[in-house]
Amino acid sequence: MCTSVPTIGVIVQTVNLSFAYIKSRYDYLVHYKKLVENHKNKVEILGLRRDAVQQLVDAARRRGEEMTGEVQGWLKQVDAIEAVAKRLDHGVTENKRCFKCCPDLCSRYSLGKEAKKKMVDVDGVLTRGNFTHVSNPHPPPSIESLPAGEFEAFESTESVMEQVIKALKYERINIIGVYGMGGVGKTTLVEQVGKKAKIEKWCDEVVKVTVSHKQDFKKIQSELAEKLGMQLTEENVEVRAGRLLDRLKQEKKILIILDDLWDRLDLTQVGIPSAGNHEGCQIIMTTRNEDVCSKSKMNCQKIIKVKELSPQDSWNLFKEKAGVDETDEVAKDVAKECKGLPLAIVTVARALNGKDSDAWENARRELRASCPKNIDNVYKDLYSCLELSYNYIEGEEAKSCFLFCCLFPEDYDIEVRHLMRYLVGEMVFENVSNLKDAWHLTQTLVKKLKNSCLLLNGDKEGHVKMHDVVRDVAIWIASRLEHGSLVKAGVDLEEWPEKLEQCKWLSLMRSTIRVLPEQPICPHLQTLLLQQNNGYLKEIPNNFFQQMTELLVLDLSWTAISSLPPSLPCSSNLRTLCLDGCWYLNNISPLKELVNLEILRLQDTAIEELPIEIGDFANLKLLDLTGTSRLKRVPPNVISKLHKLEELYMSDSFSMWEVRGSSGGDGSNASFDEVASLSRLTVLYIDVADSKCISLDFSGPWKNLTKFGICVSDDKAYAGDLGNYMDIKIMSYPICKWVKVLVGRSEHIVLKGVCTNITHLLVLDDEVRGFNNLKSLELGNCHEMEPIAFPPIALGRLQRLKIWGMDKLEEVFDYEEGIIEKSHAIIPTPPLSTLEEIELKFLPKLRSLWKGVMPPTGTFHNLKKLTVWFCDSLTCLFSPVLAQNLQQLEELDIVGCSKMEKIISDEEMMISASKEEQELGVVNKEHLLLPLLKAIKLLKLPKLWSLCNNRGGGGGGSHVSLDFPSLESIEVYDCFNLKRLPLGSQSAPKLERIKGAEAWFEGLEWEDEGIKSRLQPLFHPMRW
């Protein structure tokens, strides 16, 4: 009997296990629908979590950041789980039956079993979905991120690459010289070498800089520094060189590519280390002249020539770019005439792509017969090839645009808008009667030329460049035309050139000419560019323009002239006249007779009065008086006569516009309604001193304006980049409809005043349905303005908000349910996700930043800086929900808020999160991560006792865990009730300093004395 007891126990245990096993199998079979349904519900919760994560990922991508590998893997797992859920749900729906009469028990059992098993996977993935961050900032562009351009891995190019790579791997070689004719592909090849070196980690860093014909040490230094992630603010070249040298020495192994050398470059003066003081620094340089690689110049230890492509490689490249097949014999002949030069091959192939057989036959004939004069040997082939590309440019307008670009110096960033103004003056455009259409046509022409590889993108947006070889060819082409051109721009020409009797275009930009001839004979001259001779050209002889009767375009900008010569009216056909930056120019009386002018630029000149005769310029379309701060008088009835005026620029210029009918004016100046009468205006930048002007109800051109900047104030605040802006100082005058129309279309708004009548400017209605373009908003000294809270839905693109001196403001943002349906604003999701800076100062009744329903996830996600000064009714800044969104916050600056108790409110004060958001972990009540916060400043906050606290008072209570992985400094002064800092042993690893009163720091309470020991050396007493 004794031995039977254990046996019975074993039997019972076995029965229980068997029962559990049988029950689970029974459940798989009988309750398979419930198991699949439970699995489906859990997967739906996972899908919500995935959607929240995806929103963060999408926002990060818009900022140019990279998604982490962990998040990428997690999203793939979610996709796989959802696929399983669909399959299981489909299996239940099918309701399989075997023999068409009995249930498919095997299928049901499998569905139930798999649903139960996969539930564990769902739980695991759901748990891992609480990410502290989903992306990393994208690193600065490096050489491996450069586009491949026209590089092709042909046999001939690969052999040269192998030579360069072999030389790089040989440590005793410090400088490698790569030379070859222009257009042969040197730059593209060495860029590929640089990419390979970086990707395969032969070098820690690879940087490339273009040296060019005229060596500019500061430019070279700045370009190197920028690509190394540093800034050089010093002016002295030697000091800059020293700093750059120290930075380059920090890299254990670095490759520097010096592109387009024309002569010896003093590496020491630039700051590039030699082999003697940094063995890990290697240099690859490219040049057209083998002599530059010699010992007497750059002393290259290895010199490698880049030759033309082989016939087969040339044909393969030509076929790809021209879109022809292997059997096209005419195309083969054309490709042979390109002489293996990659630039010529690509340019000619693209020019002929899609052309008919007659065009191809004509191309073959011209290439075979061409023989350019005065061009030696191989250069003839390149020039004739590129001339063919010019010949195949469709339209004379595009050809003129291309040739005009060669008038600028080598490597010059050509502003497309300035180019358009020259072309208008040259009367290049046919059937174009206004500047708006001319601008669109210029952009089309530029795009066409870029697509044909005849123009390149410039260094700045809205600019283009010419490849130096293409520019040389364009100069050669222009010189061969009837009444050709002479281009000596940027070559430091000291004397006026001779034999200009047949010259049509003359460019002497960036010369050092001090003396001009008394009366040059230039009867056919149409364009004369003398700009940027500042410091040299101070006077123009009286009879200088006597024999320039055909002149259409004249640019004297940035010269030191003080007056215009009396012979200027001889150029009575002049269409475009540019005098920008002539600081000493105050006598422009000879302009009076230039009645055919269409574009007149007087920016930053010293004129004091606008000549009354300008009112007779019936064809004037553009008048630029920007920066003419000495301009004190604009005579009445001058501006109003300019009926064809489309663009008027008068920022930082005359502002004393009179108000017609006002008793204050003496009638000596023009009135503001003259400007409003210009019905063709599309661009207007103007300052107005008298705020009465905004009370005048003009019909005006306001709805036609595409670009505008209007400052109605005696203390201008906005100084931007000519984006659309309104800067208004309100007094006691009513505001008319046209003001509100422009406010609703502005990118930048500054409103200052002491009355109540600006409130309606910021209210959505039929006139203003949303500030769809608004990037910055500033409100100041609006003491009597009625309380208004801005609907975030109407500020969808806002980047900067500044509010100060508004006595009645209680809330900043009002997020009401249903307001989206009331607004036609175009906004990103969520609202205010583009906002980067908020500044709130001197708002005595401000109680909260946010009013209404809980802000959506992602609100304030891009906020980088928050400044709050002297807001005496504010007790806290954020709810935990809102604080969770501050993933980009870098600076927090709070000063003088006498009632501030906490930075982040108690849980009881926060707006409740939805059940779904709590389940997804969008709101984490126990942990708050501010990953990029670098600086916290808390000054004169006498009631502040906590940065973040769940409950309790004084210095006690249960604190929310705060994590500041990027925090560098904390500054606290006159906050003696603040007894605890939310810092743990690992919460701020980069903290460098804590500043505050010594007594305050000594009185702080710590959960762990080890924390105090770690922070004590970082404390710096602050005394006021």
Side-chain angles (χ1 to χ4, degrees):
M1 293 296 292
C2 295
T3 56
S4 65
V5 174
T7 302
I8 295 173
V10 170
I11 293 172
V12 171
Q13 185 178 5
T14 303
V15 170
N16 289 337
L17 291 173
S18 300
F19 178 80
Y21 177 82
I22 294 171
K23 184 179 184 302
S24 65
R25 270 55 186 171
Y26 175 84
D27 288 341
Y28 295 156
L29 180 64
V30 177
H31 301 297
Y32 75 100
K33 287 186 178 180
K34 183 177 180 181
L35 291 172
V36 172
E37 185 66 21
N38 291 343
H39 179 269
K40 179 181 178 182
N41 293 338
K42 190 66 113 177
V43 171
E44 286 178 353
I45 295 174
L46 179 62
L48 294 174
R49 174 74 56 81
R50 187 266 320 278
D51 292 343
V53 172
Q54 188 65 51
Q55 281 188 347
L56 297 176
V57 169
D58 292 341
R61 281 177 174 161
R62 289 193 293 271
R63 296 191 304 273
E65 296 183 354
E66 296 178 337
M67 183 169 42
T68 64
E70 182 185 7
V71 173
Q72 288 180 341
W74 185 84
L75 290 174
K76 289 180 180 178
Q77 286 182 318
V78 174
D79 290 340
I81 287 174
E82 287 185 334
V84 170
K86 289 181 180 179
R87 178 170 55 78
L88 293 175
D89 190 53
H90 181 67
V92 172
T93 304
E94 278 189 340
N95 193 18
K96 295 180 180 178
R97 295 177 178 274
C98 54
F99 304 108
K100 299 183 180 180
C101 60
C102 60
D104 188 347
L105 300 180
C106 291
S107 175
R108 292 183 178 185
Y109 177 87
S110 296
L111 288 172
K113 181 178 180 180
E114 186 175 5
K116 183 72 173 181
K117 182 179 179 181
K118 294 295 184 181
M119 187 74 78
V120 177
D121 296 339
V122 177
D123 289 335
V125 174
L126 191 60
T127 302
R128 292 194 299 274
N130 293 320
F131 298 105
T132 57
H133 67 283
V134 299
S135 62
N136 296 315
H138 201 285
S142 57
I143 192 163
E144 65 265 33
S145 66
L146 290 174
E150 302 300 341
F151 180 79
E152 298 284 349
F154 296 122
E155 180 179 346
S156 48
T157 56
E158 284 184 334
S159 65
V160 177
M161 280 188 66
E162 287 175 4
Q163 292 181 60
V164 178
I165 291 170
K166 184 177 180 181
L168 274 177
K169 292 183 176 180
Y170 189 59
E171 294 182 355
R172 293 186 180 181
I173 294 179
N174 175 240
I175 303 180
I176 303 167
V178 176
Y179 79 96
M181 66 170 295
V184 79
K186 302 181 296 295
T187 300
T188 308
L189 186 141
V190 297
E191 285 179 349
Q192 295 301 314
V193 172
K195 289 182 182 180
K196 194 174 183 67
K198 188 67 183 294
I199 292 171
E200 296 186 9
K201 301 186 185 305
W202 309 332
C203 302
D204 300 316
E205 190 62 74
V206 179
V207 292
K208 171 182 170 286
V209 61
T210 302
V211 178
S212 192
H213 185 273
K214 186 177 180 180
Q215 295 179 2
D216 185 336
F217 289 110
K218 284 189 177 179
K219 181 181 178 183
I220 296 169
Q221 290 170 334
S222 296
E223 190 172 345
L224 277 171
E226 183 178 355
K227 291 178 179 179
L228 290 166
M230 65 179 294
Q231 289 185 335
L232 295 176
T233 58
E234 299 83 0
E235 287 296 319
N236 186 281
V237 173
E238 293 181 358
V239 174
R240 292 160 64 93
R243 284 199 59 209
L244 190 57
L245 180 64
D246 291 339
R247 172 63 181 86
L248 290 170
K249 285 183 177 180
Q250 293 176 11
E251 301 293 340
K252 185 177 180 181
K253 194 167 181 60
I254 184 169
L255 172 62
I256 300 174
I257 299 174
L258 300 176
D259 190 34
D260 197 20
L261 266 72
W262 290 76
D263 205 347
R264 180 181 180 274
L265 177 67
D266 190 335
L267 300 180
T268 302
Q269 194 166 357
V270 174
I272 297 174
S274 61
N277 56 15
H278 186 15
E279 293 181 354
C281 179
Q282 288 182 293
I283 297 169
I284 300 177
M285 51 150 287
T286 70
T287 180
R288 298 186 192 182
N289 191 342
E290 183 180 5
D291 185 58
V292 178
C293 304
S294 65
K295 289 184 178 180
S296 63
K297 293 194 174 180
M298 292 306 297
N299 191 25
C300 297
Q301 291 96 350
K302 182 69 175 178
I303 302 174
I304 301 170
K305 182 178 181 179
V306 180
K307 299 179 180 179
E308 303 85 69
L309 296 179
S310 68
Q312 186 59 49
D313 288 343
S314 297
W315 173 234
N316 290 337
L317 179 60
F318 191 92
K319 278 193 306 181
E320 178 189 348
K321 302 302 179 183
V324 295
D325 59 41
E326 185 70 32
T327 61
D328 194 329
E329 294 300 324
V330 176
K332 285 183 179 181
D333 289 342
V334 173
K336 289 177 183 178
E337 294 299 324
C338 292
K339 308 300 181 185
L341 299 175
L343 179 60
I345 292 169
V346 171
T347 309
V348 173
R350 286 182 175 171
L352 292 172
N353 193 323
K355 295 292 191 294
D356 59 25
S357 59
D358 291 335
W360 279 93
E361 287 287 355
N362 189 56
R364 178 168 63 176
R365 178 184 60 80
E366 289 185 1
L367 284 170
R368 284 176 173 175
S370 63
C371 185
K373 296 179 180 180
N374 303 316
I375 302 177
D376 296 333
N377 304 322
V378 73
Y379 282 93
K380 290 189 297 186
D381 301 318
L382 176 59
Y383 278 35
S384 59
C385 282
L386 291 176
E387 184 182 28
L388 181 62
S389 297
Y390 165 78
N391 291 337
Y392 277 98
I393 296 174
E394 295 182 0
E396 292 300 318
E397 295 169 336
K399 288 183 176 180
S400 296
C401 181
F402 168 71
L403 292 179
F404 212 95
C405 289
C406 79
L407 302 183
F408 298 90
E410 184 181 291
D411 289 328
Y412 190 86
D413 240 18
I414 306 167
E415 187 174 349
V416 178
R417 195 168 289 277
H418 285 176
L419 177 63
M420 180 268 291
R421 292 162 183 168
Y422 290 142
L423 297 177
V424 168
E426 274 279 344
M427 297 188 294
V428 167
F429 304 125
E430 296 181 3
N431 304 319
V432 173
S433 59
N434 60 70
L435 296 181
K436 183 179 179 180
D437 290 344
W439 169 240
H440 292 315
L441 181 53
T442 302
Q443 288 183 304
T444 300
L445 298 179
V446 166
K447 184 177 181 180
K448 181 187 295 185
L449 294 173
K450 287 198 293 186
N451 290 342
S452 300
C453 298
L454 294 173
L455 287 181
L456 307 172
N457 288 323
D459 293 335
K460 294 179 284 189
E461 187 177 355
H463 291 67
V464 293
K465 278 186 174 183
M466 261 191 162
H467 187 285
D468 46 7
V469 175
V470 175
R471 176 177 175 271
D472 291 343
V473 175
I475 292 172
W476 175 71
I477 293 171
S479 68
R480 296 168 61 235
L481 299 176
E482 182 183 3
H483 305 311
S485 67
L486 178 64
V487 181
K488 295 292 182 180
V491 296
D492 292 332
L493 189 70
E494 296 181 355
E495 295 183 357
W496 182 265
E498 299 178 352
K499 298 181 181 181
L500 299 174
E501 290 82 358
Q502 299 300 318
C503 189
K504 175 184 176 182
W505 292 345
L506 178 59
S507 176
L508 303 174
M509 289 176 61
R510 289 186 177 175
S511 298
T512 56
I513 299 175
R514 298 179 184 273
V515 180
L516 297 176
E518 179 64 30
Q519 189 174 319
I521 301 175
C522 305
H524 301 291
L525 193 64
Q526 293 183 8
T527 290
L528 175 58
L529 305 182
L530 275 169
Q531 68 264 40
Q532 299 181 31
N533 278 269
N534 198 10
Y536 297 97
L537 186 58
K538 297 181 179 180
E539 185 179 2
I540 301 176
N542 288 339
N543 297 319
F544 182 76
F545 294 102
Q546 195 76 41
Q547 298 196 46
M548 297 185 188
T549 56
E550 299 298 317
L551 199 62
L552 298 174
V553 175
L554 174 62
D555 197 332
L556 295 168
S557 300
W558 306 104
T559 58
I561 60 174
S562 58
S563 63
L564 298 174
S567 60
L568 185 59
C570 294
S571 303
S572 58
N573 291 317
L574 204 62
R575 258 62 174 185
T576 295
L577 176 59
C578 302
L579 298 165
D580 296 347
C582 295
W583 299 101
Y584 307 106
L585 180 62
N586 54 25
N587 178 13
I588 59 171
S589 56
L591 291 181
K592 298 176 182 178
E593 300 178 43
L594 301 178
V595 294
N596 289 312
L597 273 177
E598 296 183 24
I599 294 175
L600 176 58
R601 293 175 57 89
L602 295 165
Q603 187 176 133
D604 294 316
T605 57
I607 62 171
E608 298 178 359
E609 181 174 344
L610 197 66
I612 195 170
E613 291 81 4
I614 285 183
D616 298 326
F617 292 4
N619 296 315
L620 195 65
K621 298 175 181 177
L622 183 150
L623 177 60
D624 192 343
L625 296 166
T626 304
T628 51
S629 56
R630 297 186 186 180
L631 183 62
K632 302 302 179 186
R633 184 168 187 264
V634 175
N637 305 316
V638 173
I639 297 294
S640 58
K641 288 183 179 180
L642 304 177
H643 301 297
K644 292 187 178 181
L645 197 65
E646 299 174 38
E647 300 184 13
L648 177 59
Y649 301 86
M650 294 189 69
S651 292
D652 301 315
S653 177
F654 173 82
S655 63
M656 303 305 294
W657 302 95
E658 295 194 4
V659 181
R660 181 151 294 179
S662 172
S663 59
D666 58 8
S668 62
N669 273 319
S671 60
F672 187 67
D673 58 352
E674 290 190 50
V675 177
S677 71
L678 301 174
S679 60
R680 297 192 181 187
L681 274 187
T682 59
V683 178
L684 174 63
Y685 288 90
I686 192 170
D687 296 346
V688 182
D690 193 340
S691 57
K692 291 180 184 177
C693 291
I694 64 173
S695 66
L696 303 179
D697 193 7
F698 307 115
S699 55
W702 318 115
K703 291 186 177 181
N704 299 325
L705 293 179
T706 57
K707 296 180 67 179
F708 59 86
I710 299 177
C711 176
V712 186
S713 175
D714 55 2
D715 55 342
K716 187 173 182 177
Y718 180 73
D721 57 355
L722 293 188
N724 293 344
Y725 70 87
M726 294 287 286
D727 182 348
I728 301 178
K729 183 176 182 179
I730 312 294
M731 297 303 289
S732 57
Y733 311 109
I735 301 172
C736 286
K737 181 178 178 180
W738 66 268
V739 179
K740 185 163 187 177
V741 169
L742 294 185
V743 165
R745 293 166 50 202
S746 294
E747 296 174 76
H748 311 277
I749 299 175
V750 179
L751 299 176
K752 306 179 294 290
V754 295
C755 63
T756 60
N757 59 352
I758 69 170
T759 303
H760 77 282
L761 282 178
L762 304 173
V763 177
L764 301 182
D765 57 17
D766 291 337
E767 292 295 336
V768 180
R769 298 186 172 189
F771 301 95
N772 294 329
N773 302 312
L774 190 60
K775 296 179 181 178
S776 72
L777 173 63
E778 178 179 346
L779 300 176
N781 276 341
C782 305
H783 298 294
E784 300 302 318
M785 177 177 173
E786 291 301 318
I788 179 173
F790 305 104
I793 201 73
L795 304 173
R797 293 191 174 99
L798 192 67
Q799 297 174 5
R800 182 176 180 272
L801 175 65
K802 181 178 180 180
I803 306 177
W804 50 280
M806 292 183 62
D807 293 348
K808 298 183 179 181
L809 186 70
E810 296 181 1
E811 293 97 8
V812 180
F813 301 109
D814 187 354
Y815 192 65
E816 297 179 7
E817 291 182 308
I819 197 168
I820 297 178
E821 289 74 15
K822 300 176 185 178
S823 171
H824 297 267
I826 302 172
I827 64 161
T829 301
L832 300 175
S833 60
T834 59
L835 192 59
E836 296 180 2
E837 182 177 352
I838 298 177
E839 183 176 310
L840 307 172
K841 294 183 178 180
F842 304 103
L843 308 174
K845 291 190 178 180
L846 183 67
R847 294 186 292 106
S848 68
L849 270 66
W850 194 270
K851 175 186 177 183
V853 298
M854 186 194 71
T857 301
T859 303
F860 291 158
H861 186 72
N862 276 310
L863 188 65
K864 292 179 173 61
K865 183 176 181 180
L866 176 62
T867 303
V868 181
W869 285 14
F870 300 102
C871 297
D872 290 333
S873 298
L874 202 59
T875 59
C876 67
L877 275 182
F878 308 111
S879 69
V881 177
L882 201 55
Q884 290 280 355
N885 292 335
L886 304 177
Q887 297 300 296
Q888 300 295 320
L889 188 66
E890 296 178 5
E891 296 181 47
L892 181 62
D893 185 351
I894 308 175
V895 177
C897 300
S898 60
K899 294 183 180 179
M900 180 76 69
E901 296 180 2
K902 295 174 289 292
I903 306 302
I904 301 173
S905 67
D906 290 345
E907 180 182 345
E908 289 77 10
M909 296 174 63
M910 66 176 276
I911 304 169
S912 298
S914 66
K915 180 179 179 181
E916 290 81 5
E917 288 185 305
Q918 290 183 18
E919 289 178 349
L920 289 171
V922 172
V923 179
N924 190 330
K925 300 178 183 179
E926 298 181 355
H927 181 77
L928 175 61
L929 173 67
L930 299 176
L932 299 182
L933 187 62
K934 295 179 180 178
I936 299 175
K937 181 186 289 186
L938 306 171
L939 306 181
K940 295 187 177 298
L941 308 173
K943 292 190 176 182
L944 182 71
W945 57 267
S946 174
L947 269 65
C948 184
N949 186 277
N950 281 345
R951 54 189 176 270
S958 175
H959 291 260
V960 171
S961 172
L962 296 177
D963 195 0
F964 308 115
S966 301
L967 189 63
E968 297 174 359
S969 70
I970 300 175
E971 186 174 338
V972 179
Y973 187 80
D974 202 3
C975 303
F976 288 105
N977 278 315
L978 183 63
K979 300 299 184 182
R980 289 194 179 209
L981 293 178
L983 300 176
S985 57
Q986 302 296 327
S987 60
K990 294 184 179 180
L991 189 62
E992 297 175 356
R993 60 190 172 276
I994 301 174
K995 297 177 67 175
E998 192 166 0
W1000 164 78
F1001 186 78
E1002 291 299 326
L1004 287 176
E1005 300 173 359
W1006 307 95
E1007 292 184 4
D1008 183 349
E1009 286 299 317
I1011 300 175
K1012 181 178 181 181
S1013 300
R1014 182 176 77 89
L1015 300 179
Q1016 184 77 50
L1018 306 180
F1019 178 69
H1020 300 273
M1022 182 171 63
R1023 297 178 178 84
W1024 281 15

